[in-house]
Amino acid sequence: MKLYEELLETLSSSEEPISGSELAERFGVSRNAVWKSINKMKEEGYLIKSSKSGYVLSRENPHPVSEDLKKALGTDEVILLECVDSTNNIAKELAIRGAKEGTAVFALEQTSGKGRLGRTFVSNRGGIYFSVILRPQVNADSSVFITVAAAAAVSKTLREVFNKPFPIKWVNDIFCGDKKVCGILTEGSFNAETMMFDFAVLGIGINLADQSDNLPEDVKLTAGSLCSEKTVPASLYTKIASGVYKKFFEYYADLSSERKFMNYYIENSYLDNKDVMYIKDGRLHSAKALRINSDAGLVLEEDGKITVLKAGEVSVKRV
Ligand code: BTN
């Protein structure tokens, strides 16, 4: 067994802190070697508290481990960070520097998580926040299907893990009951010469553990979480993240052909038959949402007429 694994096993089975010198003596290595292994564990996502009495591995906040994530995602291009402003920002920087399609950036926490339409996405510890670099070979008109494929991938993965439906609120919010549990933000760098994307960044935020104690009041009203516990095993994190990643790439491969994922997206629409409101041209509209069409447009009945919204956002009228 490598020193790293021996230390991890020792710390995992001890409730009490163990000092660096004791660990060094126990395994016949230098304190510097212990220190290096501890740092590697921290980089891997383990939460290790160090005090005068030594090191202790926190159990209260299990972390995904980047090696586990890499294995589950089936790629080495995975970066797992503790705390960033926004994983979309990091992924964009990497994409500009030439990072490969499929590179995924995860963070345990975001200080400036970005939502759609310039909103903030509250990203406390306990959620799954990640961004994936894409180099789509599709024109701007087809780009909406990236987000749609991602929404279908999240909903389908969650259905498989939790064995219940997770409706999709057009365009890309995933609901559990009447609460939003996932948001998706796709940002792209469009090349006007080629009329194609240089790259796109697909950002997905999933509320896994219950964070209700730390949410602003307005967010509390609309946001829910997948689990009612405040801490969730790292294995569940990895299962959901890798499930979404793999399913998304399965759908992404079908983006320019049959788009079979559209059937799932259409069948799992949250808005069907709901009364909705939306703002267009500075005016508040009221309508009934009928269905999603095969172009991912929202079909509405408004003032006795059928209209289709191609982009934007609607809110459900509360009764
Ligand atoms: C929304 O609901 O409006 C979209 C939220 C998207 C949040 C994700 S979390 C990972 C990635 N990084 C960000 O800053 N935003 C996206």
Side-chain angles (χ1 to χ4, degrees):
M1 222 196 285
K2 281 199 275 176
L3 175 64
Y4 175 88
E5 284 152 11
E6 285 177 321
L7 287 176
L8 193 54
E9 202 177 282
T10 307
L11 290 176
S12 309
S13 50
S14 168
E15 304 263 322
E16 299 300 319
I18 312 178
S19 72
S21 50
E22 191 185 329
L23 289 167
E25 201 176 311
R26 203 182 290 184
F27 296 110
V29 295
S30 67
R31 283 180 60 179
N32 194 33
V34 170
W35 181 76
K36 275 192 186 157
S37 285
I38 297 281
N39 276 349
K40 186 166 175 238
M41 283 174 210
K42 287 181 180 168
E43 278 168 23
E44 296 288 1
Y46 288 101
L47 192 64
I48 297 182
K49 292 179 187 155
S50 4
S51 67
K52 272 191 207 147
S53 358
Y55 301 109
V56 66
L57 177 68
S58 169
R59 250 167 235 78
E60 72 205 22
N61 200 347
H63 280 168
V65 176
S66 65
E67 286 311 316
D68 293 349
L69 268 178
K70 283 180 188 168
K71 217 187 281 169
L73 266 64
T75 168
D76 274 343
E77 314 299 327
V78 177
I79 299 165
L80 171 64
L81 301 162
E82 279 269 327
C83 181
V84 298
D85 59 347
S86 152
T87 54
N88 268 24
N89 290 349
I90 309 270
K92 267 192 248 170
E93 280 168 30
L94 292 172
I96 290 166
R97 284 196 254 133
K100 280 208 282 194
E101 174 159 90
T103 302
V105 181
F106 285 80
L108 302 180
E109 194 178 337
Q110 298 185 116
T111 51
S112 308
K114 292 192 281 183
R116 291 182 71 224
L117 310 172
R119 287 187 292 242
T120 302
F121 187 78
V122 179
S123 313
N124 300 324
R125 268 169 199 262
I128 304 176
Y129 313 113
F130 70 108
S131 302
V132 182
I133 295 174
L134 303 172
R135 302 206 176 266
Q137 300 298 309
V138 295
N139 58 27
D141 286 348
S142 302
S143 64
V144 64
F145 292 108
I146 296 178
T147 301
V148 165
V154 173
S155 166
K156 186 90 191 292
T157 302
L158 296 179
R159 179 189 275 266
E160 283 168 12
V161 173
F162 294 98
N163 208 13
K164 59 179 185 181
F166 287 86
I168 304 164
K169 176 175 172 281
W170 183 83
V171 183
N172 53 9
D173 289 340
I174 312 301
F175 271 58
C176 179
D178 278 326
K179 297 274 177 148
K180 171 172 166 176
V181 290
C182 168
I184 298 170
L185 174 68
T186 310
E187 297 182 278
S189 166
F190 190 67
N191 185 324
E193 269 175 37
T194 60
M195 299 297 278
M196 302 285 269
F197 286 95
D198 283 333
F199 66 83
V201 163
L202 168 68
I204 301 180
I206 302 174
N207 304 337
L208 182 58
D210 173 27
Q211 305 169 24
S212 49
D213 291 349
N214 292 318
L215 292 179
E217 287 306 316
D218 57 329
V219 179
K220 254 187 222 175
L221 291 176
T222 52
S225 60
L226 296 174
C227 303
S228 51
E229 298 83 14
K230 299 207 184 309
T231 60
V232 173
S235 55
L236 184 61
Y237 181 114
T238 305
K239 189 173 181 181
I240 294 172
S242 60
V244 169
Y245 181 92
K246 286 182 168 164
K247 207 160 284 299
F248 169 73
F249 275 103
E250 190 187 312
Y251 295 168
Y252 182 66
D254 193 22
L255 211 63
S256 307
S257 46
E258 286 184 79
R259 294 188 194 129
K260 284 206 199 103
F261 56 83
M262 277 312 295
N263 296 334
Y264 183 91
Y265 185 83
I266 290 169
E267 281 161 18
N268 286 276
S269 167
Y270 175 78
L271 291 176
D272 286 10
N273 299 316
K274 289 198 164 71
D275 291 322
V276 298
M277 295 177 303
Y278 67 98
I279 294 174
K280 195 174 170 192
D281 304 328
R283 189 166 79 78
L284 181 67
H285 294 249
S286 286
K288 185 181 208 70
L290 298 180
R291 62 181 179 280
I292 307 288
N293 69 16
S294 58
D295 291 328
L298 177 64
V299 183
L300 300 170
E301 186 187 321
E302 187 172 342
D303 301 331
K305 286 189 215 125
I306 303 294
T307 52
V308 178
L309 277 189
K310 291 197 169 148
E313 191 171 79
V314 301
S315 11
V316 175
K317 271 193 198 167
R318 303 278 161 211
V319 275

